[in-house]
C-alpha cells in the first residue's frame, strides 16, 4: 500500500541496518541540544538573570562546603598537637621544677616537656596583654611555673588518662588538657556540616523550582509550536527533547557560573588568608573546590536542571493538545 | 482509504456534531465535503486525523481503527495524513523553509534530502522564491500555499483540507483546487471541506453533503 512505500523511502524504520538509525538518533539529539542553546542565547538578558539565580543558589552551598573543608584542614592539624599544661604549686622551687621537667620528659607517652618559669610567663603576658602597668602595681609575680607537656599519643582517651596521672603529682596544682576546645570545635564542625547539607538541600529545591518555572514559561511561549508539531505527527519524545535540553543547559551553565563565583571569592580571600596563616607561622593555604567537587557541582547542576525540566514537561506538555 | 461506520460524535456539553455517518472513500479518490456552517465538516476531518475521538461507531484509516488508536501511536497516523487548515497554522518565528521542513524533521529526516524535498514542495505551490521569507510578510493566499506545501512535503497518501480557500478570491481558489487535483492525479487520496458550492460543481468530483450532522448525500458512491 502507498503508505508503506512512503515510509520505507523515508524515516528509516525496521528494515535498515543499525548504524544509520543510531546516527539519526544522535543527530536529533545534537539538533535539540544546539537549538535549545541558541534559544538561550537569543534572549541573553533574561537568560543571564535566570542563570544568575541558579548560579548564586548553587554557589552558596558550594562556597560553604569549601569553607568547611578548609576549616577541617586547619583543625585536623591541631588535633595531634594537644598539650597538657601543668601549673606547679607555688612552693616548688626552680631547681625542682627543672628536675621534674627531666623526669616527665623521660616518661613513656610523653614526647617533649617545656618549662615556662614564672618570669617567662610574666614577660609573655606583659607582651601579649598590654597590662604591664597593672602587673607592676601588683608588686609580686602572681604566675606559677608551668610545664607544657606534648603527649606522644593523639587519641582523646589516652590524653585524658595521661592528664589525670600528671594531675596526681604532688608538685602539680592543676593540669589543663587543651583537648576540650578541640572536641568542641569538632562538634561545631559536625553541626556546620549538617547545616551546609540542609542549606544545600533547600537551595537544590530552589534550583529545581526555578528551572521548572523557566521551562513552564518556555512551554507556554511555544504553545503554538507544540500544537503544530503534534498536528504533523511529532512524538512526545520529539516535542519533549528541546525542553529537557533547555533545563540541562540552565543547570549546567548555572553550575559553571557558581564555580566562577566560588573560585572568584576564594581568589579575593587568598591574600588575607595567607597573611593570617603567616601570623600563625602556618604553611596552610586556603584550598579551592578541586577537581572532584568541581565535577560534582557541574554534574549536580545539570542533574537538577534536567529534573526541573522533567517536572515541568510532565505537568504541562500533555495538557497541550491540538483541537 | 477512509471508512466511517455509523459514526456519531457528541462534544462535551451535549452538542451532537455527527450522527450515524457512514461512507467509504477509496484509495486515490478525491471528494468534497460540504454543508451549512455547523453541519459537522470540521468534526469529520478531525476524527480522521485523530484530533477528536468518535463517541460511537468506527473510523478506519487504511484499515486502522483510529477511534481506538493508543496515544503513542497517533504520531505515526498523522505523519501519513497531510492536513491543510483554514487558518494556515504556520509558525511565525520561522521562515517558509523551516515551516515546510517541520514534518520532515519530525519524521527524522536530516541533511540535503530535506532541502531537496522542501524546494520540490515549494515549487509545486509556486513559492520557490519565498523560502527565506517569514509568513507574516506573505499574503493570505501565499500563506495558504505554504500550508499546503507543508502538508504534502512528506508525500502523505492522504490529504485533508478544511476550507482551504476560505478567504481567497475566486481565481486563487481555482488555482488551489487545481493544485489538489494534481496531487490526486499522482495517487494521493484527497478530502476537502468547503463552502464554495460553485467551485465544487466546477470541479465535478464526488460530493459528501452534511446536514445537522447527518450525511444526506454522497454516502452510497464508492470508488
Ligand atoms: N470543541 C467543541 N466543543 C463543543 N462543540 C463543538 C466543538 N467543536 C465543534 N462543536 C460544535 O459541533 C458542531 C459542528 O461543528 P463543526 O466545526 O464540525 O462544523 P463545520 O461544519 O465545520 O462548520 P463551519 O462550516 O462553520 O466550519 C457545531 O455546532 C459546533 O458548535
Ligand atoms: Mg469547520
Amino acid at each position: 500500500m502507498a503508505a508503506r512505500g512512503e515510509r520505507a523511502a523515508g524515516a528509516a524504520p525496521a528494515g535498515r541496518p543499525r548504524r544509520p538509525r543510531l546516527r539519526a538518533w544522535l543527530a536529533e539529539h545534537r539538533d535539540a541540544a544546539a537549538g535549545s542553546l541558541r534559544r538561550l542565547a537569543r534572549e541573553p538578558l533574561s537568560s543571564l538573570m535566570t542563570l544568575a539565580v541558579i548560579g548564586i543558589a548553587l554557589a552558596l552551598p558550594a562556597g560553604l562546603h569549601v569553607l568547611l573543608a578548609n576549616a577541617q584542614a586547619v583543625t585536623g592539624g591541631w588535633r595531634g598537637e594537644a598539650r597538657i599544661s601543668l601549673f606547679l604549686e607555688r612552693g616548688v622551687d626552680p631547681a625542682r621544677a627543672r628536675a621534674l621537667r627531666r623526669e616527665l620528659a623521660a616518661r613513656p607517652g610523653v614526647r617533649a616537656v617545656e618549662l615556662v618559669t614564672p618570669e617567662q610567663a610574666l614577660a609573655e603576658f606583659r607582651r601579649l596583654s598590654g597590662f604591664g602597668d597593672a602587673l607592676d602595681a601588683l608588686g609580686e609575680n602572681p604566675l606559677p611555673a608551668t610545664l607544657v607537656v606534648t603527649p606522644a599519643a593523639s587519641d582523646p582517651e589516652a590524653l585524658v588518662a595521661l592528664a589525670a596521672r600528671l594531675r596526681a603529682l604532688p608538685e602539680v596544682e592543676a593540669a589543663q588538657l587543651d583537648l576540650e576546645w578541640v572536641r568542641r570545635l569538632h562538634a561545631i564542625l559536625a553541626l556546620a556540616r549538617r547545616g551546609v547539607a540542609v542549606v544545600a538541600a533547600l537551595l537544590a529545591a530552589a534550583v529545581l523550582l526555578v528551572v521548572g518555572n523557566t521551562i513552564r514559561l518556555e512551554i507556554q511561549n511555544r504553545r503554538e509550536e507544540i500544537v503544530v508539531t503534534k498536528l504533523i505527527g511529532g512524538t512526545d519524545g520529539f516535542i519533549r527533547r528541546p525542553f529537557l535540553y533547555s533545563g540541562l543547559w540552565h543547570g549546567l551553565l548555572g553550575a559553571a557560573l557558581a564555580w566562577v563565583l566560588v573560585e572568584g571569592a576564594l581568589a579575593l580571600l587568598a591574600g588575607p588568608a595567607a597573611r593570617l596563616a603567616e601570623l600563625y607561622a602556618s604553611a596552610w593555604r586556603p584550598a579551592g573546590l578541586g577537581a572532584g567537587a568541581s565535577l560534582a557541582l557541574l554534574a549536580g547542576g545539570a542533574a537538577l536542571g534536567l529534573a526541573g525540566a522533567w517536572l515541568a514537561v510532565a505537568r504541562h506538555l500533555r495538557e497541550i493538545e491540538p483541537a | 482509504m477512509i471508512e466511517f461506520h455509523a459514526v456519531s460524535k457528541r462534544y462535551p456539553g451535549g452538542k451532537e456534531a455527527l450522527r450515524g455517518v457512514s461512507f467509504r472513500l477509496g484509495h486515490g479518490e478525491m471528494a468534497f465535503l460540504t454543508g451549512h456552517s455547523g453541519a459537522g465538516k470540521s468534526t469529520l476531518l478531525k476524527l480522521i486525523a485523530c484530533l477528536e475521538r468518535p463517541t460511537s461507531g468506527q473510523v478506519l484509516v487504511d484499515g486502522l481503527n483510529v477511534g481506538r488508536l493508543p496515544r503513542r501511536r497517533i504520531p505515526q497516523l498523522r505523519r501519513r495524513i497531510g492536513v491543510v487548515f483554514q487558518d494556515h497554522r504556520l509558525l511565525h518565528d520561522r521562515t517558509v523553509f523551516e515551516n515546510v521542513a517541520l514534518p520532515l524533521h519530525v519524521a527524522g529526516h536530516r541533511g540535503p534530502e530535506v532541502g531537496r524535498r522542501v524546494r520540490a514542495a515549494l515549487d509545486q505551490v509556486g513559492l520557490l522564491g519565498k523560502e527565506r521569507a517569514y509568513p507574516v510578510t506573505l499574503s493570505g493566499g501565499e500563506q495558504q500555499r505554504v500550508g499546503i506545501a507543508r502538508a504534502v512535503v512528506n508525500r502523505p497518501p492522504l490529504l485533508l483540507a478544511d476550507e482551504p480557500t476560505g478567504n481567497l478570491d475566486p481565481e486563487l481558489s481555482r488555482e488551489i483546487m487545481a493544485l489538489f487535483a494534481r496531487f490526486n492525479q499522482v495517487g494521493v487520496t484527497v478530502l476537502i471541506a468547503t463552502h464554495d458550492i460553485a467551485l465544487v460543481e466546477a470541479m465535478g468530483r464526488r460530493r459528501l453533503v452534511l446536514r445537522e450532522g447527518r450525511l444526506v448525500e454522497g454516502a452510497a458512491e464508492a470508488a
Side-chain angles (χ1 to χ4, degrees):
Chain A
M1 129 193 115
R4 286 280 143 72
E6 285 298 319
R7 283 209 302 164
R16 288 227 187 147
R18 248 196 144 69
R19 281 286 282 277
R21 222 159 84 187
L22 180 69
R23 271 229 303 279
W25 184 81
L26 285 175
E28 267 177 40
H29 274 265
R30 201 188 50 222
D31 284 3
S36 298
L37 204 55
R38 269 199 304 276
R39 211 165 269 280
L40 212 69
R42 206 181 307 169
E43 284 178 56
L45 201 67
S46 88
S47 298
L48 271 181
M49 260 157 43
T50 310
L51 291 181
V53 171
I54 297 167
I56 291 168
L58 290 175
L60 219 62
L64 288 175
H65 166 80
V66 170
L67 280 185
L68 253 183
N70 277 310
Q72 272 171 305
V74 169
T75 57
W78 290 344
R79 181 199 274 272
E81 288 180 23
R83 299 239 165 91
I84 303 171
S85 300
L86 303 176
F87 302 105
L88 301 186
E89 296 279 1
R90 194 56 58 88
V92 177
D93 62 46
R96 177 72 199 113
R98 278 195 294 277
L100 189 60
R101 190 199 72 80
R102 277 193 302 278
E103 264 173 53
L104 292 184
R107 281 198 179 202
V110 174
R111 169 124 47 87
V113 183
E114 191 195 343
L115 173 64
V116 183
T117 63
E119 294 72 34
Q120 285 168 334
L122 187 65
E124 177 97 333
F125 188 72
R126 205 184 278 282
R127 192 166 64 78
L128 288 177
S129 70
F131 282 125
D133 294 344
L135 288 169
D136 288 342
L138 275 174
E140 190 187 336
N141 183 355
L143 298 173
T146 310
L147 287 172
V148 179
V149 177
T150 305
S154 66
D155 66 298
E157 250 88 288
L159 291 175
V160 169
L162 181 62
R165 260 180 281 131
L166 295 176
R167 189 177 290 121
L169 291 171
E171 293 88 347
V172 174
E173 189 196 355
Q176 188 190 325
L177 174 56
D178 285 351
L179 189 65
E180 215 44 41
W181 73 271
V182 173
R183 278 198 186 147
R184 285 193 191 129
L185 188 69
H186 280 272
I188 289 170
L189 284 177
L191 182 67
R193 264 200 303 276
R194 182 65 56 86
V196 170
V198 170
V199 168
L202 285 176
L203 288 171
V207 169
L208 212 64
L209 294 179
V210 167
V211 174
N213 199 46
T214 305
I215 301 302
R216 184 181 63 82
L217 288 175
E218 214 177 305
I219 289 172
Q220 262 169 26
N221 288 337
R222 297 172 69 182
R223 191 184 181 88
E224 188 56 26
E225 183 184 340
I226 294 167
V227 167
V228 168
T229 308
K230 286 194 176 183
L231 280 175
I232 61 178
T235 58
D236 286 350
F238 182 89
I239 293 166
R240 202 159 43 210
R241 210 170 288 137
F243 296 105
L244 294 182
Y245 270 107
S246 179
L248 186 78
W249 286 127
H250 273 99
L252 192 64
L253 294 176
L257 188 62
W259 188 89
V260 170
L261 288 176
V262 170
E263 291 292 330
L266 283 172
L268 285 178
L269 293 179
R275 235 163 296 139
L276 183 67
E278 230 165 73
L279 289 179
Y280 278 89
S282 159
W284 170 82
R285 291 291 176 274
L289 274 165
S294 298
L295 262 172
L297 175 61
L298 293 176
L304 281 174
L306 193 59
W310 254 113
L311 289 180
V313 161
R315 267 185 61 94
H316 301 291
L317 223 46
R318 262 184 100 103
E319 294 167 5
I320 302 177
E321 281 294 337
Chain B
M1 189 78 198
I2 300 174
E3 286 180 51
F4 273 56
H5 296 292
V7 173
S8 295
K9 172 65 186 177
R10 183 195 293 274
Y11 282 108
K15 175 75 201 182
E16 193 137 25
L18 290 178
R19 306 164 200 235
V21 172
S22 299
F23 72 95
R24 265 191 84 239
L25 192 67
H27 276 288
E29 208 178 341
M30 177 165 173
F32 289 98
L33 185 60
T34 65
H36 62 90
S37 179
K41 305 183 291 295
S42 297
T43 301
L44 192 149
L45 295 185
K46 282 177 185 172
L47 289 178
I48 297 171
C50 206
L51 293 165
E52 294 286 354
R53 307 246 185 192
T55 312
S56 65
Q58 271 193 334
V59 177
L60 303 180
V61 175
D62 240 349
L64 199 67
N65 189 341
V66 171
R68 302 195 171 224
L69 203 59
R71 217 187 103 81
R72 71 193 155 72
R73 288 185 55 199
I74 293 176
Q76 285 300 337
L77 171 78
R78 291 196 186 145
R79 285 177 200 183
R80 290 158 51 195
I81 304 176
V83 185
V84 179
F85 304 91
Q86 183 176 355
D87 55 353
H88 324 313
R89 295 252 180 174
L90 301 177
L91 296 177
H92 291 279
D93 61 341
R94 309 214 181 175
T95 62
V96 165
F97 183 97
E98 288 165 336
N99 267 285
V100 176
L102 202 56
L104 297 173
H105 284 154
V106 157
H109 296 277
R110 289 288 180 285
E113 190 194 357
V114 171
R116 198 171 48 70
R117 287 172 73 165
V118 168
R119 284 188 196 97
L122 283 174
D123 191 23
Q124 281 175 302
V125 299
L127 284 178
L128 202 46
K130 299 276 190 186
E131 60 177 77
R132 293 190 184 286
Y134 283 87
V136 281
T137 67
L138 302 180
S139 72
E142 287 170 330
Q143 292 190 28
Q144 188 61 280
R145 283 184 281 160
V146 174
I148 295 170
R150 185 183 65 190
V152 301
V153 70
N154 213 10
R155 298 193 209 113
L158 174 59
L159 193 56
L160 305 177
D162 195 355
E163 320 231 6
T165 62
N167 301 321
L168 306 182
D169 61 58
E171 170 115 18
L172 207 49
S173 299
R174 262 197 307 281
E175 267 178 43
I176 286 191
M177 287 303 177
L179 193 56
F180 284 121
R182 271 215 300 286
F183 290 124
N184 178 241
Q185 268 165 22
V186 297
V188 179
T189 309
V190 182
L191 182 58
I192 303 169
T194 181
H195 283 294
D196 198 336
I197 307 296
L199 196 58
V200 171
E201 271 163 6
M203 299 286 295
R205 303 280 186 145
R206 179 178 171 191
R207 268 177 73 179
L208 296 160
V209 183
L210 283 170
R211 188 179 305 144
E212 302 288 341
R214 291 184 198 284
L215 192 59
V216 295
E217 204 185 310
E221 304 164 46

